[in-house]
Structure formats: C-alpha cells, structure tokens
C-alpha cells in the first residue's frame, strides 16, 4: 500500500486541517479484517471495565475502500456480538461453542451491513459503522441454475 507524503520531524511546521470524511452509502459490502488490538473499555452504563478488542475492517465499496474501527467488549452481555464476529469470518458455527482465537482474525473476510451514524461530539458529521456481520454460510451467493 503506497502512502503519499513524507515523515514529519518534531520541529516541522504544519498547515493542513482535517479533511471532511464522506461516508459510503448504507448497504452490504465485503470486508477484510486488517488487524486487531487488545485494549480495555473504561466501563459505561451497565458494563464494568472489561477487556476489549479493537478490530479494524477494510470495507470494499465499489467507489473506494474505507476503514472502520469497531470495539468488541469481552463481556457476557455482549457475547452475541463476539459470536457474530467469529461466525461472520467462518471461524464459528451458529450455536456451537468456540474458544476465541483473536490471532486468526487478520486477513479474514466477511460480508457486512454497513450503516451511518452521527458523530457524538458533532451531530453534523456522519460516520460509517459495522451494523451487522452475516454468518459466513449465509454470506455465500445462492446458486440458481442458469443464473449469474
């Protein structure tokens, strides 16, 4: 992956402000997991502070690729979301028990429903998020005789 520009020194001058991000339209897209980081949630609402995986997805939209970062809090009340992640990449079957092996995620592909939400600090800004990951067995196109 080629990135334009150069490394800045500690004493360099800067001028460019943030660029406006234009989200991709809501819909179903192919995604690839680029990496994950181990982190910790600070706890909020009914959840205590917990281990958390920060998963970085590349969304392959027809017009361009974007990155989406999703947090997966390791708490029993959010076990459904963890199952959805591992089912989405084909490492878990629905209803089966699985020991989470996070190291297997980078490079895995899935089919995702991507949504748009407002920014929490600035509601005029819109951001994409992974609304749902489809189970790998459901994500495959259905064969229709003579059809493409």
């Amino acid at each position: 992956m080629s990135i334009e520009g150069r490394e800045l020194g500690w004493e360099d001058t800067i001028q460019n402000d943030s660029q406006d991000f234009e989200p991709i339209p809501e819909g179903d897209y192919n995604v690839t997991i680029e990496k994950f980081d181990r982190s910790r949630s600070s706890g909020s609402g009914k959840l205590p502070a917990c281990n958390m995986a920060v998963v970085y997805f590349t969304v392959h939209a027809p017009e361009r690729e974007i990155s989406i970062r999703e947090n997966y809090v390791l708490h029993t009340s959010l076990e459904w979301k963890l199952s959805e992640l591992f089912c989405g990449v084909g490492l878990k079957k629905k209803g089966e028990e699985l020991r989470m092996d996070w190291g297997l995620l980078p490079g895995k592909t899935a089919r995702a429903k991507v949504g748009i939400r407002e920014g929490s600090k600035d509601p005029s800004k819109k951001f994409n998020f992974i609304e749902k990951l489809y189970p790998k067995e459901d994500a495959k196109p259905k064969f229709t005789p003579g059809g493409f």
Side-chain angles (χ1 to χ4, degrees):
M1 176 183 222
S2 176
I3 299 174
E4 293 184 27
R6 66 175 176 81
E7 179 180 10
L8 294 171
W10 292 108
E11 314 261 329
D12 280 354
T13 59
I14 58 172
Q15 178 180 354
N16 293 332
D17 295 321
S18 70
Q19 300 172 352
D20 289 333
F21 173 75
E22 183 65 32
I24 60 173
E26 292 180 321
D28 294 341
Y29 296 93
N30 292 327
V31 299
T32 302
I33 296 178
E34 294 305 318
K35 66 176 185 166
F36 81 95
D37 293 326
R38 294 176 191 265
S39 186
R40 192 135 175 96
S41 73
S42 58
S44 64
K46 296 179 181 179
L47 289 178
C50 293
N51 289 326
M52 177 175 73
V54 181
V55 180
Y56 297 84
F57 294 88
T58 297
V59 180
H60 307 285
E63 57 277 0
R64 70 183 199 273
E65 291 186 340
I66 66 162
S67 293
I68 295 178
R69 181 187 134 177
E70 287 291 328
N71 296 332
Y72 289 86
V73 178
L74 280 64
H75 190 273
T76 54
S77 67
L78 294 170
E79 191 173 339
W80 66 269
K81 188 173 179 180
L82 298 166
S83 284
E84 182 180 89
L85 172 64
F86 284 94
C87 283
V89 297
L91 293 174
K92 180 184 182 302
K93 298 285 184 205
K94 281 189 141 196
E96 291 183 356
E97 188 174 14
L98 172 83
R99 180 177 303 278
M100 296 180 291
D101 188 344
W102 295 92
L104 295 176
L105 289 179
K108 292 289 187 191
T109 60
R111 187 80 175 157
K113 181 176 184 177
V114 174
I116 298 175
R117 72 167 54 118
E118 295 178 346
S120 57
K121 295 178 183 170
D122 182 354
S124 69
K125 292 189 178 184
K126 308 288 186 224
F127 299 94
N128 289 117
F129 71 103
I130 303 292
E131 192 171 321
K132 176 179 183 48
L133 287 167
Y134 297 106
K136 196 67 156 187
E137 60 269 10
D138 293 348
K140 294 177 184 167
K142 305 283 189 248
F143 174 76
T144 54
F148 293 98

